[in-house]
Amino acid sequence: MTASPIGREIDRVDGRPKVTGAAEYAADHDLPGLAHAVVVTSTIGRGEILAMDLAAALAAPGVLEIYHPGNNLGLLTPPQNMPPPGMVENYAPLQDTAIRYRGQAIAVVVAETFEQARDAAALVTTTYRTDPPNTSLAANLPGEDAPGPLYNVSVLAPGVGSIDEALAASEVVVESTFHQPIQHHVAMEPHAAVAEWNAAGDRVTIHTGSQGTFATVQLLQLRLGLPAEAIHVICTYTGGGFGSRVPSWNDSILAAGVARRLGRPVKLVMTREQVFTMVGHRGQVDHTVRLGATRTGVLTAVSHDADAELPNVGGWLLVPAHDTTDTLYKTPNLHIGQRLVQLDLPPTWAMRGPNEAPGAFALETAMDELAVATGVDPVELRLRNYATVAPGNGKPFSSKHLADCYREGARRFGWSARRATPRSRTDGQWLIGMGMATAIYPGNRMPVSVSVELCADETAIVSTATSDIGNGAATVVAITGADRLGIPVRKVTARVGDSTLPPGAVAAGSQATASTVPSVLVAADDVVTALIDLAVTDPRSPWHDGARPVYANGRLHGGGHSATFGQLLTAVGRKSIEARATTQLAPETAERFEFHSFGAHFCEVRVNRFTGEPRVTRFTTVVDSGRIINAQAARSQLIGGVIFGIGQALLEHDPLELGTGRLAAANMADYMVPVNADVPDIDVHWLDRPDPHVDGLGARGLGARGLGELGAVGSAAAIGNAVYNATGIRVRETPITLDKLLEV
Ligand code: MOS
């Protein structure tokens, strides 16, 4: 009997190639005849190219060609009625002379070596007509009657005329305005692509990091004017995404365009600085949360208004109240008003908890302010306002054990030792504070196909075109296949990251596990049925024409015979047998329930009373995300999410130079992300209660919901709330840097 690997500590199936350097990321691919492309970018924020002097660059050693608006690549603009991510970028690179943002691609220099291309690119000089870019969020607010974006909500109790009336009638009101600055994904692997066309020039193979090979194919086909079958995307290994690899950016678009025109394979690697501008960033948001409550902290009105950056070149429709403020607490009156502000800035895109991380910082900070205003303990305040149905639409949750997350988190963390009054605990020059906040993220699912193949060599291959961006997706696939087939994980090969595999999940929206697991289960069951069919139909099988054998743990038994699947396949002269399954959530189930994952964060900080320096010293997170498939990967994802929260709360922002549209910290030296010294031991725990509805397979299912983004939601608020408890200073504009705490 093979013990089930589900929920155990399983090493990554791709761990060895990753730590030995054998794993090939996009830019590691080398091909015969490879040419190297380097992008030249605009140095103004808006205007037009008047002239480009290319003579010196063209004469430089090794230069093969320069593409620019006067010698363009014939790239196409996707239709603008496409759903995201088709909306970025809404023009074709190098097709015209317009400058839409600072850092936009204006030319590509191609040479025999990377160094030759880089040096020649530095010789290109460009003359512009410069127009003043609109870059200020506050100065470009849409009018009151401007069409709002998605997800505005208004729920009012009978007899209540408006949210303002509901707030005015509340015994206690908290009103706070928050600013979320521009942030960046900073994935380990810089964006890069290697493109190679076939001899006829009608099919292209692209190695590029991708969060979804199908999304990449879909966007590239629109850029290149090709049918989907003509594009093969391979991303066996991808060095992080956090949202930045959902759309296709100039690395893959230009590499494919240049390789087609040049008739040679082309490698294009963005510089780190280019990744900060040419790849979408997390947009800035100004948002105001107003909470009305009784004196005992029972919510009577909840309002969240947001103005978020939407670049004119397109980007993520950032709606921070969606799936946070519209879902989290019970309230008779709810108002969500979200607007987008169009600016001449580089594109934006979803970044880990794209709406939810900024949204939860605002809501969960405001809830802490309400706890202070009412004198109710922050955990108790959340329990008093616990939603058993979604407040926006009244639907029940598929599975919700958030109350136990609060209780278990408080117990593990030692919340009862907290003192409500700020500055009550000190240790020498350090002020010590504790804070908590809620985590919430949608329990998404999408249609996914998986194939399971049993092989004569006693191994199995589970294939699906999802991407393993470092999240452990390949290992989840292997574990689930091994569990259902009853064989060891090491006997299962997971194939992922290739658009020719069965259509798989995007590694986005925290949905790869929840979407892939049910399809692996069904495909595994189907291949076993096919194996048994083979056993009774093939004349060379010992079960031929007899009673159907029973399958267990990689073996068929019955009628006095026993054989492993490999032995049976060998006996009948087959190399393998395969089954393919597609599952998705039934529309009626999706309609009936609200699917969300939940969690509770608890944080201790120390703030230096002389320098204002904040340090996170303890962190406990307890989540409810259904069944856990791999304890090791789940812990790693949740810890990574909390580290994202540390960055959001204390370090990350890219200041914008309003006059020029320049992002002032668009490089890894100036943009601060947490390093090991910023991160304490993070205690992560989960309830491990299966979601009965998420698989749609009844008792056959495992009940796993996603958790990839969950840890990044609310963790920054827990830190900010702990800073307040330590110092009595409430910072509503992240990051909470020491200068904001100097009055300590
Ligand atoms: Mo993630 S921001 O859902 O790609």
Side-chain angles (χ1 to χ4, degrees):
M1 178 69 201
T2 308
S4 169
I6 300 291
R8 294 160 68 112
E9 305 273 344
I10 306 291
D11 289 344
R12 282 166 193 264
V13 295
D14 49 358
R16 180 172 290 272
K18 283 184 169 173
V19 299
T20 57
E24 288 199 313
Y25 293 83
D28 295 328
H29 290 275
D30 203 358
L31 298 167
L34 189 69
H36 297 263
V38 166
V39 180
V40 180
T41 57
S42 70
T43 54
I44 65 164
R46 190 162 76 98
E48 194 178 2
I49 298 169
L50 298 179
M52 296 181 93
D53 184 349
L54 306 169
L58 282 167
V63 170
L64 298 165
E65 186 59 279
I66 300 177
Y67 300 98
H68 55 90
N71 176 28
N72 70 56
L73 292 163
L75 296 165
L76 306 175
T77 300
Q80 288 309 294
N81 55 359
M82 273 188 70
M87 301 171 307
V88 284
E89 297 174 61
N90 56 23
Y91 67 98
L94 314 189
Q95 288 305 113
D96 62 39
T97 54
I99 301 300
R100 298 159 172 90
Y101 63 86
R102 195 181 189 284
Q104 175 189 319
I106 56 172
V108 189
V109 177
V110 196
E112 293 290 351
T113 70
F114 164 72
E115 290 78 7
Q116 289 168 336
R118 178 197 61 194
D119 292 356
L123 300 174
V124 173
T125 55
T126 306
T127 313
Y128 301 98
R129 186 200 74 233
T130 304
D131 301 328
N134 287 322
T135 58
S136 164
L137 192 68
N140 288 281
L141 295 181
E144 284 304 321
D145 53 352
L150 312 173
Y151 312 123
N152 288 322
V153 176
S154 183
V155 175
L156 295 171
V160 176
S162 70
I163 194 72
D164 292 339
E165 194 182 305
L167 285 160
S170 300
E171 291 170 0
V172 180
V173 176
V174 162
E175 173 169 347
S176 290
T177 295
F178 301 87
H179 180 70
Q180 158 73 47
I182 288 172
Q183 295 176 338
H184 301 278
H185 308 76
V186 200
M188 262 203 291
E189 182 190 5
H191 287 55
V194 172
E196 182 180 33
W197 291 77
N198 65 351
D202 58 7
R203 297 179 74 83
V204 62
T205 300
I206 299 173
H207 299 271
T208 190
S210 166
Q211 287 180 248
T213 52
F214 283 86
T216 305
V217 167
Q218 191 191 18
L219 283 176
L220 287 175
Q221 77 181 99
L222 296 167
R223 293 292 187 180
L224 298 169
L226 291 175
E229 314 79 69
I231 301 174
H232 183 185
V233 172
I234 303 173
C235 60
T236 315
Y237 300 102
T238 295
F242 311 122
S244 75
R245 286 189 159 93
V246 174
S248 301
W249 305 102
N250 281 321
D251 53 331
S252 53
I253 297 166
L254 290 174
V258 170
R260 173 164 64 180
R261 187 61 61 85
L262 198 66
R264 284 174 63 168
V266 166
K267 179 187 292 188
L268 192 159
V269 186
M270 285 190 196
T271 64
R272 273 289 171 191
E273 291 81 355
Q274 289 174 344
V275 176
F276 277 82
T277 46
M278 276 199 278
V279 171
H281 57 270
R282 192 203 300 274
Q284 50 188 319
V285 191
D286 284 327
H287 44 161
T288 298
V289 174
R290 294 179 293 165
L291 302 177
T294 66
R295 264 179 221 100
T296 55
V298 176
L299 287 166
T300 47
V302 172
S303 169
H304 193 156
D305 288 293
D307 289 307
E309 166 191 354
L310 177 64
N312 283 316
V313 291
W316 180 253
L317 304 180
L318 206 166
V319 283
H322 185 47
D323 291 319
T324 56
T325 310
D326 66 4
T327 309
L328 203 40
Y329 298 113
K330 183 176 164 185
T331 177
N333 300 291
L334 175 67
H335 162 84
I336 305 293
Q338 306 184 99
R339 299 186 298 187
L340 297 169
V341 184
Q342 295 199 258
L343 298 171
D344 299 314
L345 289 176
T348 54
W349 196 250
M351 177 168 135
R352 203 174 193 176
N355 305 317
E356 300 80 3
F361 181 78
L363 175 64
E364 289 296 282
T365 303
M367 283 296 280
D368 202 64
E369 294 182 69
L370 183 62
V372 172
T374 55
V376 178
D377 176 84
V379 173
E380 172 58 25
L381 181 72
R382 285 158 176 87
L383 291 169
R384 270 181 208 180
N385 293 291
Y386 199 75
T388 50
V389 298
N393 58 27
K395 286 185 198 175
F397 296 99
S398 62
S399 176
K400 179 178 179 181
H401 304 286
L402 174 58
D404 288 343
C405 295
Y406 292 134
R407 294 188 191 107
E408 178 63 8
R411 189 191 66 74
R412 290 175 74 92
F413 180 78
W415 181 253
S416 60
R418 176 182 180 267
R419 295 184 206 153
T421 307
R423 306 176 70 96
S424 302
R425 283 184 65 206
T426 57
D427 176 11
Q429 55 185 272
W430 295 93
L431 305 175
I432 304 171
M434 293 184 186
M436 59 82 56
T438 312
I440 181 168
Y441 192 83
N444 295 322
R445 247 196 90 182
M446 64 182 287
V448 160
S449 298
V450 168
S451 111
V452 176
E453 191 177 358
L454 299 174
C455 303
D457 67 359
E458 308 290 0
T459 66
I461 302 169
V462 186
S463 311
T464 182
T466 194
S467 305
D468 193 319
I469 57 174
N471 50 4
T475 310
V476 162
V477 164
I479 290 171
T480 312
D483 175 58
R484 200 47 152 234
L485 296 169
I487 61 177
V489 176
R490 67 186 152 77
K491 292 281 187 188
V492 180
T493 302
R495 283 200 186 135
V496 301
D498 186 314
S499 62
T500 58
L501 295 171
V506 291
S510 301
Q511 63 192 318
T513 295
S515 305
T516 307
V517 163
S519 295
V520 177
L521 297 176
V522 173
D525 287 350
D526 289 355
V527 81
V528 165
T529 302
L531 183 77
I532 296 169
D533 290 347
L534 181 70
V536 295
T537 54
D538 193 289
R540 291 164 291 185
S541 157
W543 290 282
H544 179 237
D545 268 348
R548 290 175 72 80
V550 173
Y551 177 95
N553 301 320
R555 202 169 251 287
L556 294 169
H557 334 243
H561 303 287
S562 177
T564 64
F565 63 77
Q567 288 165 343
L568 178 72
L569 289 167
T570 303
V572 304
R574 292 270 299 253
K575 278 209 171 72
S576 68
I577 186 166
E578 182 182 355
R580 183 167 162 156
T582 304
T583 65
Q584 60 184 308
L585 199 60
E588 54 276 18
T589 311
E591 189 50 40
R592 209 171 120 210
F593 298 106
E594 278 281 329
F595 289 87
H596 289 268
S597 286
F598 302 94
H601 297 293
F602 293 84
C603 171
E604 181 190 84
V605 299
R606 290 179 165 230
V607 179
N608 188 287
R609 70 160 78 230
F610 300 119
T611 65
E613 178 188 9
R615 308 293 306 169
V616 177
T617 46
R618 287 201 300 128
F619 212 105
T620 295
T621 295
V622 176
V623 306
D624 163 31
S625 64
R627 186 79 165 272
I628 296 299
I629 304 297
N630 182 359
Q632 197 178 103
R635 184 180 307 108
S636 167
Q637 282 288 78
L638 290 164
I639 288 173
V642 171
I643 295 172
F644 245 70
I646 294 174
Q648 183 190 359
L650 301 182
L651 297 165
E652 294 187 50
H653 67 138
D654 194 347
L656 174 63
E657 209 172 69
L658 289 179
T660 61
R662 185 178 76 99
L663 294 173
N667 60 74
M668 283 188 78
D670 292 316
Y671 186 80
M672 294 290 138
V673 294
V675 297
N676 282 345
D678 298 308
V679 181
D681 278 346
I682 295 169
D683 172 39
V684 159
H685 185 73
W686 42 81
L687 301 180
D688 208 21
R689 298 189 195 152
D691 185 314
H693 302 293
V694 70
D695 300 270
L697 297 178
R700 283 170 84 195
L702 289 173
R705 281 195 313 265
L707 52 70
E709 286 157 276
L710 189 61
V713 180
S715 37
I719 295 166
N721 295 341
V723 167
Y724 173 81
N725 184 245
T727 64
I729 299 174
R730 184 70 70 181
V731 180
R732 300 180 187 85
E733 182 169 342
T734 54
I736 305 170
T737 43
L738 72 184
D739 52 300
K740 296 168 185 166
L741 302 173
L742 268 183
E743 58 191 272
V744 168

